[in-house]
Amino acid sequence: MIPPAFEYHRPTDLASAVGLLAQLGDEARVIAGGHSLIPMMKLRMAEPAHLVDLQSVGELKGITVAGDHVQIGAMVTQSDLITHDGLARAIPLLREAALQIADPQVRYVGTVGGNVANGDPGNDMPGLMQCLDAHFTLTGPSGSRDVAARDFYHGLYSTERADDEILSRITIAIPSGGYAYEKQKRKIGDYATAAAAVLLNRRGGTVSSASIAMTNLSDIPVWSQAAGEALIGTDCGAEAVTAAVAAMLADIDPQADNRGPIAFKRHVAGVILARAIARAWSRA
Amino acid sequence: MAKKIHVTLTVNGEAQEFLAEPRELLIHTLRERLGITGPHIGCETSHCGACTVDMNGRSVKACTLFVAQADGADITTIEGLGGPDGLHVLQRMFREHHGLQCGYCTPGMITRAHRLLQENPAPTEEEVRFGMAGNLCRCTGYQNIVKAILAAAAEMNAKEAAE
Ligand SMILES: Cc1cc2nc3c(=O)[nH]c(=O)nc-3n(C[C@H](O)[C@H](O)[C@H](O)COP(=O)(O)OP(=O)(O)OC[C@H]3O[C@@H](n4cnc5c(N)ncnc54)[C@H](O)[C@@H]3O)c2cc1C
Ligand code: FES
Ligand code: FES
């Protein structure tokens, strides 16, 4: 499988990378790890005439844990997320999810920026970022703007990012409480049949806050506000979990594919969310 | 046809320099341009790990990297680990513990296992299985591959302790 021909650019700073996108227009696409893009190019589902490689853009690297926030550069790899001590302490949910993405070789190369910018509902990071209420910084020819992960996804491969913008950084307020990322997949390295990201806070015996997002159960990630609200004020017992699952099921819209028919996906989504809530609560 | 680019690579310690189309896949560069045929093409879709090589200290699937991305990189293939004149301890242990049958997956397996043991010199069986999850084998059932890697780790650690 030979991908289509393209011209290759490797800028060394963000301004030049953005400049190249502006200059080359529609014909250009950025490449981060290439582990979503190259498979699509092999299948001729993408045929960019120019590729702007971000690997040498210093501004897009690095993880900073400072005060009550974490900043993650777009070119940080999934393997960096797993091995960074400070990050694992600040937001253990990120590490728990990254360990469930693909396999070691893919995690060394695949980036967080590519994972969230791709717009593929199969990616695990978008739902996770919605659960965490992360913000993405988009940098274009006229400067930078911040967009909430919960507002970023419009449809299949369609996001808030304009063609001449680069997703440069992700900012996350460090959450408190219990967490869980639970994923059902057919085999290791597979995309989710269903996955759930959960963050919970407890006050005494009751849930004081909850955030719930689901992966690969619609053409965009689903942050289910209603599912979170169904838990707040409860003891997180069986009845509350049933209510949260019912609320989540009203928000998802899975399609039948080689991972199973719709009824099966809805069933798995419920099982996975119940498990994720139980685990997050046990850690809260 | 898009402009060719000038590429430099270090492969198994040797400097390589050539002009290539940016879209050339690293696995084709290694096998067809440089005649380094240890890394295999299994699935060509980034699933099987037969094409695994070490690039700048990370295990990567050479079927899913453009040579342009690899420009400037330091690459090690199975040939760089050991050969008939001097087997790497992993190669010896794969032979001893019957960690291969047809051998198609073996170069990728051993190249990946090498990096895994660099990062985690004394892995548990579970850590080996998790760390090798990007490499598929259609013959062995994995049991003997895991055994061979654990045995290689033990020998490498014993040797280090003796030194
Ligand atoms: C075998 C296999 C299994 C996988 N399993 C999973 C899985 O279980 N879960 C999962 O989440 N993912 C999985 N992936 C996908 C993997 O995580 C990708 O690496 C990731 O989706 C994209 O990251 P990348 O750096 O490779 O991006 P690329 O492939 O380089 O880019 C993807 C897209 O995003 C755009 N883009 C990239 N970076 C930016 C940026 N900074 N700003 C703007 N646009 C950008 C590109 O133009 C392209 O359109 C798998 C991949 C493989 C090959
Ligand atoms: S040939 Fe590269 S992963 Fe299978
Ligand atoms: S030994 Fe035949 S595929 Fe592994």
Side-chain angles (χ1 to χ4, degrees), chain A residues 96-139:
Chain A
E96 178 158 299
L99 282 167
Q100 298 179 63
I101 292 180
D103 61 44
Q105 284 94 319
V106 175
R107 292 194 293 264
Y108 279 120
V109 181
T111 66
V112 183
N115 200 298
V116 300
N118 197 23
D120 182 330
N123 284 129
D124 287 287
M125 290 287 164
L128 187 71
M129 294 300 168
Q130 293 196 337
C131 176
L132 286 161
D133 197 14
H135 283 69
F136 302 154
T137 304
L138 303 175
T139 307

Side-chain angles (χ1 to χ4, degrees), chain A residues 43-68:
Chain A
L43 297 169
R44 297 296 193 278
M45 284 161 67
E47 301 191 50
H50 295 266
L51 281 185
V52 177
D53 188 345
L54 301 178
Q55 68 168 288
S56 299
V57 177
E59 292 110 304
L60 301 180
K61 295 181 183 164
I63 297 171
T64 335
V65 182
D68 57 357

Side-chain angles (χ1 to χ4, degrees), chain A residues 1 10 42 103 105 108, chain B residues 44 61 63 68-69 119 135:
Chain A
M1 284 192 284
R10 197 192 284 187
K42 285 182 174 179
D103 61 44
Q105 284 94 319
Y108 279 120
Chain B
E44 240 190 311
K61 293 175 175 172
C63 71
Q69 293 174 283
E119 291 181 351
N135 295 76

Side-chain angles (χ1 to χ4, degrees), chain A residues 29-40 51 54 60 74-75 78 100-103 106 109-119 122-126 138 161 165-168 183 185 189-192, chain B residues 45-47 61 64 69:
Chain A
R29 195 109 165 223
V30 299
I31 181 165
H35 272 44
S36 287
L37 186 56
I38 296 174
M40 286 204 282
L51 281 185
L54 301 178
L60 301 180
M75 289 300 285
Q78 286 142 24
Q100 298 179 63
I101 292 180
D103 61 44
V106 175
V109 181
T111 66
V112 183
N115 200 298
V116 300
N118 197 23
N123 284 129
D124 287 287
M125 290 287 164
L138 303 175
R161 185 182 68 84
E165 287 179 312
I166 288 175
L167 196 154
S168 50
K183 175 174 172 180
K185 51 193 179 199
D190 191 21
Y191 291 94
Chain B
T45 55
S46 51
H47 288 93
K61 293 175 175 172
T64 310
Q69 293 174 283

Side-chain angles (χ1 to χ4, degrees), chain B residues 20-41:
Chain B
E21 271 195 77
R23 66 165 164 173
E24 184 172 302
L25 296 167
L26 182 60
I27 190 67
H28 294 139
T29 308
L30 293 170
R31 291 180 55 85
E32 282 155 36
R33 186 183 283 281
L34 304 176
I36 297 171
T37 54
H40 291 161
I41 300 176

Side-chain angles (χ1 to χ4, degrees), chain A residues 31 70 113 119 123 133 150-151 153 156 194-195 253 281:
Chain A
I31 181 165
V70 164
N123 284 129
D133 197 14
R150 291 174 189 171
D151 300 329
Y153 299 94
L156 195 65
D253 181 23
W281 182 241

